[in-house]
Amino acid sequence: MRKLEQLVRPHILRLKPYSSARDEFSGKIGIFLDANENAFGSTTKKLFNRYPDPYQQSLKLQLSTIKKVKADKIFLGNGSDEPIDLIIRLFCSPGKDNIIVIPPTYEMYEVAATINDNEVIKVPLTNKFNLDIDSILNSINANTKLIFICSPNNPTGNRFPESEIFRILKNFEGFVVLDEAYIDFSVKDSLVDRINDYPNLVVLQTLSKAWGLAGLRLGMAFAIPELIFLLNKIKSPYNINEVTQKLVSEALSKPERKNDMVGKILKQRKWLEHELGKITCVEKIFPSDTNFLLVRFSGANAIFEYLLEKGVIVRNRSRMIHCENTLRITAGTENENKKLISCLQTYCKEL
Ligand SMILES: *Cc1c(COP(=O)(O)O)cnc(C)c1O
């Protein structure tokens, strides 16, 4: 790995960040006349007149225990999309640097890089959805700053072997961003603790999936403290609002609720897999380490439209590379899944 100072955009190293009122005084007791807040209260019943903690310290302490990572290795964002964007803007000079992505995968990496005017080098998975490590390593050039790997991958559902991710980490001078949005559904453990062995690893996780908190927007990035420091330097000052901080804190104190739901979701995914296997127009159900199934149908587009008519909305992934004729189906509740299966049975019988 190259030194962090050689990878980061030079002007960011020199940047003097905005200093908020809460940066300059972070005590809890006193008469607060420093932030131009409304001292009389809020227009809502609950009080939100004070700015939230800019560094979300109490949340990070809770997460530190749950994830077994020191708080200074945690960055919190407004969904994972915020760290994705910040990491790209931290490392990649517009019109100069590039990132590597591995389609078919989550498309936000490409979108965020394109917004910042960075080239996106695409090294597709093989048609069996495996990483093509040699091609990935051969695609790196002098301006490649980041490689994004999503594992378990969206939309293919599979997880890549650790040994392959380590091989990329060892042979790349820049940072590898490993998106573990679906890790709670996986049989294998997170690679978060490997930040200690591989300083060029950034792990992304989210509360949007297993924790059931998509609406609150909380994404996590785990990395060496030096990188977290730079992300904090360029984020907007109060990026996690007070409601999110409060409710997430409540949620994190009851991890057994998350585990219970993950169990239910996995049971439903297995049921779906079993039932889909009996439907004539299903050609292949891809193995999944997530809360969804990627399914190849004969005539996926028509099935997608039919399901829409019946009020069942799935994701058509047919336009993505190696995903011709596929729909991505999230495991829902028992009733939702039964409805989906009965629609598919009716439709496919008539073919
Ligand atoms: C759902 C998902 C996320 C989560 O994004 P948030 O902004 O945290 O809601 C991140 N990465 C992947 C691959 C996803 O599928």
Side-chain angles (χ1 to χ4, degrees):
M1 181 188 148
R2 270 189 282 169
K3 282 219 178 91
L4 192 58
E5 296 77 47
Q6 296 171 325
L7 287 164
V8 170
R9 293 166 69 190
H11 72 288
I12 304 275
L13 296 171
R14 295 188 299 266
L15 170 78
K16 190 177 164 292
Y18 175 73
S19 181
S20 70
R22 284 294 76 77
D23 278 323
E24 290 175 15
F25 182 85
S26 59
K28 293 227 156 50
I29 299 161
I31 296 169
F32 288 93
L33 305 177
D34 60 346
N36 296 347
E37 295 155 337
N38 185 333
F40 289 85
S42 306
T43 46
T44 47
K45 253 192 226 152
K46 284 198 177 158
L47 291 181
F48 296 109
N49 54 327
R50 299 297 178 181
Y51 281 103
D53 175 359
Y55 301 106
Q56 312 94 25
Q57 300 185 65
S58 81
L59 271 191
K60 285 179 185 170
L61 284 180
Q62 281 181 287
L63 279 168
S64 169
T65 312
I66 293 175
K67 303 287 179 184
K68 302 186 177 66
V69 181
K70 286 216 179 103
D72 65 355
K73 292 182 182 157
I74 306 175
F75 174 85
L76 299 181
N78 183 13
S80 316
D81 297 334
E82 185 182 14
I84 291 169
D85 177 54
L86 290 178
I87 290 166
I88 289 174
R89 287 196 285 135
L90 179 63
F91 288 106
C92 300
S93 295
K96 176 171 175 249
D97 294 321
N98 65 68
I99 67 163
I100 292 178
V101 301
I102 304 166
T105 192
Y106 191 48
E107 290 180 322
M108 270 313 288
Y109 319 133
E110 178 177 356
V111 171
T114 305
I115 291 171
N116 198 44
D117 194 19
N118 298 118
E119 185 196 350
V120 177
I121 299 176
K122 295 182 186 178
V123 186
L125 294 174
T126 67
N127 58 8
K128 295 219 162 74
F129 297 156
N130 294 316
L131 292 171
D132 181 351
I133 307 284
D134 291 327
S135 297
I136 293 170
L137 295 177
N138 286 330
S139 303
I140 297 168
N141 65 38
N143 293 324
T144 307
K145 294 288 183 74
L146 301 167
I147 300 177
F148 282 86
I149 304 174
C150 184
S151 180
N153 188 36
N154 175 9
T156 60
N158 60 320
R159 189 176 206 283
F160 306 118
E162 292 175 6
S163 58
E164 297 183 354
I165 292 166
F166 296 151
R167 202 178 140 210
I168 297 173
L169 281 161
K170 275 184 208 143
N171 289 287
F172 180 44
E173 296 275 288
F175 272 79
V176 173
V177 182
L178 179 67
D179 188 342
E180 294 188 331
Y182 297 95
I183 196 66
D184 299 276
F185 304 105
S186 175
V187 290
K188 289 273 186 86
D189 288 336
S190 165
L191 295 190
V192 159
D193 58 340
R194 294 314 190 98
I195 293 162
N196 302 318
D197 311 321
Y198 298 99
N200 59 336
L201 172 64
V202 183
V203 175
L204 301 181
Q205 292 186 8
T206 177
L207 298 186
S208 294
K209 309 285 156 67
W211 290 83
L213 299 173
L216 288 183
R217 312 303 303 129
L218 197 96
M220 300 161 266
F222 304 96
I224 50 170
E226 295 80 358
L227 180 60
I228 302 300
F229 171 82
L230 291 171
L231 290 174
N232 281 331
K233 203 168 154 178
I234 64 171
K235 78 182 183 75
S236 51
Y238 302 106
N239 60 326
I240 309 293
N241 71 68
E242 182 70 14
V243 179
T244 297
Q245 293 198 41
K246 280 230 171 76
L247 293 181
V248 164
S249 171
E250 222 179 285
L252 293 177
S253 68
K254 298 179 181 102
E256 65 284 354
R257 284 204 186 164
K258 184 261 298 178
N259 296 336
D260 180 53
M261 283 200 284
V262 167
K264 285 181 179 150
I265 292 165
L266 291 179
K267 194 174 152 212
Q268 287 304 314
R269 192 194 77 202
K270 290 199 177 96
W271 183 84
L272 266 180
E273 200 174 344
H274 183 252
E275 294 300 312
L276 285 165
K278 298 190 275 187
I279 288 172
T280 50
C281 49
V282 168
E283 288 183 354
K284 186 172 170 71
I285 306 162
F286 292 90
S288 173
D289 237 339
T290 66
N291 62 343
F292 61 82
L293 289 170
L294 186 73
V295 184
R296 177 160 283 138
F297 290 88
S298 42
N301 290 336
I303 293 173
F304 174 78
E305 295 297 334
Y306 174 81
L307 288 174
L308 265 190
E309 260 170 49
K310 298 289 165 193
V312 179
I313 301 105
V314 299
R315 200 91 198 267
N316 192 347
R317 301 284 72 184
S318 302
R319 68 172 169 80
M320 297 180 98
I321 184 167
H322 303 321
C323 295
E324 302 75 23
N325 268 314
T326 61
L327 303 179
R328 193 192 69 194
I329 302 170
T330 310
T333 63
E334 188 177 341
N335 281 338
E336 291 170 340
N337 298 334
K338 279 184 175 157
K339 166 85 179 166
L340 167 84
I341 293 294
S342 102
C343 289
L344 286 172
Q345 280 167 343
T346 310
Y347 180 86
C348 297
K349 246 181 237 158
E350 286 168 8
L351 285 183

